[in-house]
Amino acid sequence: MNLPLSFKDKSVFVAGGSSGINLGITLAFAQAGARVAIASRSAERVAGAVEALRQHGGQVEGYSADVRDPDAIAAVLQQAREAIGPFDVLVSGAAGNFVAPALGMSAKGFKTVVDIDLNGTFHVLRAGFEHLNRPGACVLNISAPQAFNPTKFQAHVCAAKAGVDMLTRVLAMEWGPEGVRVNSIVPGPIGGTEGIRRLAPTPEAVQRMTDSVPLQRMGRVQEIADMALFLASSYASFVTGAIIPVDGGSSLAGGRDY
Ligand code: NAP
Ligand code: COA
């Protein structure tokens, strides 16, 4: 990040922070001086991420929990708050995806993704609110272009992420008077991530996806992390309820097939 942003003495909790974009966001906050905590299902993945984050110094805590389980996520939010203090930044980024036509997914398949992405975000934010450092705290939901681009074979993700963005708007209204800002970051296709491995599993698919981006390239994890730092900083102190694409213009192209 080129802006001189410091998060020294700040606390950041990232749900789903053990890999990919969310780990990149966590790393950026750690490098900017924050105490950070992450949670995801796999204890092994959490341990690996904590080790990587600790290379950069500062306090790092990791917890194993499934965002679909409200009691489990409430318990780790409580533990994290005791370890790193009330959160200045709360990120909800846990998500699941697979490519399938609506008629090719069972009720459980559809529900699984809605439970992780949408209900999971509600659980993280609902239980996280009492641990926010108010006034002044910032909530970041990690959305996706499927929230507003109807996308074939992504009925579950489209429905879930549209819900996430609506939660962003509603909670920005409910929590604004408490001094809490709530925004969504909408990454475009980000190279080297699990999301892209699933959506564009062949070199041809990667090329098609890249060609569809007006800037003619995939994004970088760091570019999403930069937006997270900006939104959490005083530079964005009057920004709330915003759905912000960081996507090289790809959302301008509308819906697409995978
Ligand atoms: P990723 O590496 O698979 O990250 C997903 C993270 O969520 C993992 O750390 C995973 O860890 C955790 N997770 C999954 N299910 C969970 C659950 N039920 N409870 C708790 N944690 C859970 O994927 P990514 O591609 O970086 O995507 C990260 C975010 O960016 C997602 O919100 C995604 O929708 C969004 N996004 C990505 C792209 C892209 O190009 N990659 C584009 C647009 C939006 P465990 O397996 O340990 O649980
Ligand atoms: N096509 C159709 N249905 C599928 C599917 C596919 N490719 N992949 C999974 N499902 C269905 C399963 O069949 C199951 O339904 P069923 O029991 O009726 O058959 C349902 O989804 C749940 O699958 P399960 O593997 O039990 O779920 P899980 O909770 O262990 O894992 C996923 C959740 C499926 C989303 C898994 O891919 C995951 O953990 N993803 C996290 C990482 C990720 O997706 N990263 C990218 C983020 S953008």
Side-chain angles (χ1 to χ4, degrees):
M1 176 116 223
N2 296 321
L3 289 172
L5 295 180
S6 170
F7 286 85
K8 193 169 175 330
D9 298 325
K10 304 286 186 190
S11 293
V12 179
F13 183 99
V14 181
S18 64
S19 66
I21 291 172
N22 304 319
L23 176 57
I25 290 171
T26 314
L27 179 60
F29 279 111
Q31 288 172 330
R35 298 183 295 272
V36 298
I38 59 170
S40 80
R41 292 167 303 175
S42 159
E44 198 181 341
R45 193 168 293 142
V46 168
V50 165
E51 197 182 325
L53 289 162
R54 285 201 176 131
Q55 311 289 320
H56 299 274
Q59 188 178 355
V60 181
E61 306 292 337
Y63 304 92
S64 177
D66 191 322
V67 294
R68 289 171 286 190
D69 179 341
D71 294 337
I73 201 69
V76 303
L77 284 159
Q78 175 73 43
Q79 287 177 56
R81 186 247 177 87
E82 285 163 14
I84 66 170
F87 312 135
D88 298 286
V89 185
L90 174 62
V91 181
S92 174
N97 195 0
F98 54 81
V99 176
L103 294 178
M105 61 179 88
S106 65
K108 187 177 162 201
F110 185 85
K111 181 177 185 299
T112 294
V113 169
V114 172
D115 274 349
I116 301 171
D117 294 25
L118 176 56
N119 297 339
T121 293
F122 181 76
H123 299 151
V124 169
L125 272 49
R126 173 71 183 81
F129 180 80
E130 68 171 291
H131 303 301
L132 294 177
N133 191 11
R134 310 190 301 274
C138 159
V139 173
L140 297 173
N141 291 328
I142 309 304
S143 182
Q146 290 92 323
F148 41 83
N149 289 336
T151 309
K152 285 165 72 174
F153 314 131
Q154 291 282 275
H156 47 354
V157 176
C158 288
K161 293 289 195 179
V164 168
D165 283 351
M166 191 49 84
L167 271 182
T168 293
R169 294 190 181 100
V170 171
L171 297 182
M173 294 181 74
E174 291 190 10
W175 295 354
E178 302 276 346
V180 175
R181 297 181 297 111
V182 186
N183 292 294
S184 280
I185 296 176
V186 186
I190 304 301
T193 59
E194 182 59 28
I196 291 303
R197 277 188 282 281
R198 288 170 186 237
L199 294 173
T202 64
E204 295 74 32
V206 168
Q207 191 58 53
R208 270 201 308 279
M209 193 173 269
T210 306
D211 289 346
S212 75
V213 180
L215 288 183
Q216 298 285 285
R217 66 171 175 86
M218 296 253 182
R220 295 183 280 271
V221 168
Q222 183 65 47
E223 291 172 316
I224 305 303
D226 284 349
M227 179 54 77
L229 262 59
F230 168 74
L231 284 173
S233 77
S234 58
Y235 289 99
S237 52
F238 206 48
V239 180
T240 195
I243 313 298
I244 301 185
V246 182
D247 66 354
S250 62
S251 54
L252 301 171
R256 66 172 75 85
D257 300 345
Y258 289 116

